[in-house]
Amino acid sequence: MHPFWNTVVKIFPTWLAPNLITFCGFLLLVFNFFLMAYFDPDFYASAPDHAHVPNRIWIMVGLLNFMAYTLDGVDGKQARRTNSSTPLGELFDHGLDSWACMYFVVTVYSTFGRGSTGVSVFVLYLLLWVVLFSFILSHWEKYNTGILFLPWGYDISQMTISIVYIVTAIVGVEAWHAPFLFNFLYRDLFTTMILGCALTVTLPMSVYNFYKAYKGNTLKHHSLYEIMLPFLSPVLLFALCTTWIFLSPSDILEVHPRLFYFMVGTAFANISCQLIVCQMSNTRCQPLNWMLLPLAVVVFVVICGLAPHNETVLLYTLTAVITVAHIHYGVCVVNQLSKHFNIRPFSLKKRSTD
């Protein structure tokens, strides 16, 4: 896609800040997420005998997804083109990418949805975690080796997702219900692609790059504890959320799947952002993210039956707290970096020193 991005970047004026391009691309994914939440709140719209998402919406989502992917690829080229590359730009790009993982995975789920022809909300929960761990694996690699490997599987997945949206608008969601090879359904292809990219591209390349750094004696950390420390908070987040799902008295994931995915993805994004800050500043990764504490409290309250009729209220409250806290964290970090480098995050002009 680099030749295409090299052409597209020439369209943008040289006064346009790369961070603004990054942010606009991210907002397109957020818009897609809430647009599909309106037309398909419970992921049943693609199931037989349910009102389907209008074809024009699929076209819009497909085009916006491609635009978001293009902007994500162009922002770095704009930074080099305007000689405005900064650590803030790197943090802004990868920090928003950590949150974007949830948005595009959950949005594409609506093409298949749940029901007899789709996948269950729990399977999608597991697939979301495959994508999240794939993302943090790359940053774990940089935390230990100093080099960030971005697998080309991401490019393939984004192009495929955009095409799937457009094709859905043309042939209808019913086309995904029929098997395309023997009894192998398109939903199975969707699952296989996510698992395949993680197991055949991301994981092997990260392990190989880590091994090369180990053999070359260039690892930043040498004890097993320090090496694996970035995985502690994500694993605990997964354990707590999965425990909640299995022991939920109201079957919370079945009742509020989209909200639960949003809560998980936002908490994960905060964990990832803090890891990115640590790897950029060559500081030690913190063992535990504070967001795990309110989550642990909520899970404890739920499984102990202390609020049997308020589980939904707890999920909404927890999601609001985590979302506000993550946005606050991002704003604070951006402001601090902007002051440190005397720059404006969304402008190529220097900050005023008054």
Side-chain angles (χ1 to χ4, degrees), residues 75-123:
D75 55 3
K77 296 184 181 297
Q78 177 75 349
R80 289 183 288 273
R81 178 180 176 228
T82 56
N83 195 29
S84 58
S85 297
T86 64
L88 174 60
E90 179 183 353
L91 173 64
F92 205 71
D93 188 7
H94 297 305
L96 290 179
D97 284 345
S98 67
W99 207 359
C101 291
M102 179 273 300
Y103 287 111
F104 76 77
V105 170
V106 176
T107 301
V108 76
Y109 181 38
S110 289
T111 57
F112 304 94
R114 52 178 168 168
S116 59
T117 58
V119 298
S120 69
V121 290
F122 183 70
V123 169

Side-chain angles (χ1 to χ4, degrees), residues 82-318:
T82 56
N83 195 29
S84 58
S85 297
T86 64
L88 174 60
E90 179 183 353
L91 173 64
F92 205 71
D93 188 7
H94 297 305
L96 290 179
D97 284 345
S98 67
W99 207 359
C101 291
M102 179 273 300
Y103 287 111
F104 76 77
V105 170
V106 176
T107 301
V108 76
Y109 181 38
S110 289
T111 57
F112 304 94
R114 52 178 168 168
S116 59
T117 58
V119 298
S120 69
V121 290
F122 183 70
V123 169
L124 195 276
Y125 168 78
L126 296 179
L127 293 177
L128 174 61
W129 270 108
V130 170
V131 174
L132 297 181
F133 272 118
S134 296
F135 178 88
I136 208 164
L137 185 64
S138 296
H139 290 278
W140 166 83
E141 177 189 333
K142 184 177 181 182
Y143 178 75
N144 284 288
T145 68
I147 300 173
L148 177 63
F149 170 73
L150 296 176
W152 48 261
Y154 171 76
D155 296 317
I156 294 178
S157 65
Q158 288 302 304
M159 288 297 300
T160 302
I161 288 173
S162 298
I163 292 172
V164 165
Y165 288 141
I166 301 300
V167 171
T168 301
I170 297 173
V171 301
V173 294
E174 294 84 2
W176 308 122
H177 298 170
F180 76 98
L181 182 65
F182 302 110
N183 291 323
F184 198 73
L185 300 176
Y186 284 99
R187 67 181 183 188
D188 303 318
L189 180 62
F190 169 67
T191 303
T192 302
M193 284 185 62
I194 293 179
L195 291 174
C197 285
L199 296 178
T200 64
V201 180
T202 306
L203 179 61
M205 288 304 301
S206 290
V207 172
Y208 173 69
N209 291 334
F210 177 87
Y211 176 75
K212 283 199 307 181
Y214 170 76
K215 294 294 290 185
N217 198 30
T218 58
L219 285 177
K220 291 185 173 184
H221 310 281
H222 298 284
S223 72
L224 181 61
Y225 175 76
E226 291 295 335
I227 288 172
M228 302 303 293
L229 192 57
F231 286 128
L232 181 57
S233 285
V235 168
L236 287 176
L237 176 63
F238 173 76
L240 287 170
C241 292
T242 305
T243 299
W244 187 355
I245 291 172
F246 279 118
L247 300 181
S248 169
S250 65
D251 210 353
I252 195 68
L253 185 62
E254 290 289 334
V255 177
H256 298 289
R258 192 178 291 273
L259 184 64
F260 199 91
Y261 297 146
F262 184 87
M263 181 272 294
V264 171
T266 306
F268 173 85
N270 189 263
I271 293 172
S272 298
C273 285
Q274 296 197 31
L275 173 60
I276 294 169
V277 170
C278 290
Q279 71 186 25
M280 289 177 59
S281 58
N282 291 318
T283 55
R284 183 174 182 266
C285 177
Q286 295 301 310
L288 297 175
N289 184 287
W290 75 266
M291 288 188 181
L292 296 174
L293 178 59
L295 173 60
V297 171
V298 168
V299 173
F300 177 79
V301 169
V302 168
I303 64 178
C304 290
L306 301 178
H309 305 296
N310 296 313
E311 190 174 3
T312 296
V313 175
L314 289 173
L315 176 59
Y316 271 95
T317 303
L318 177 65

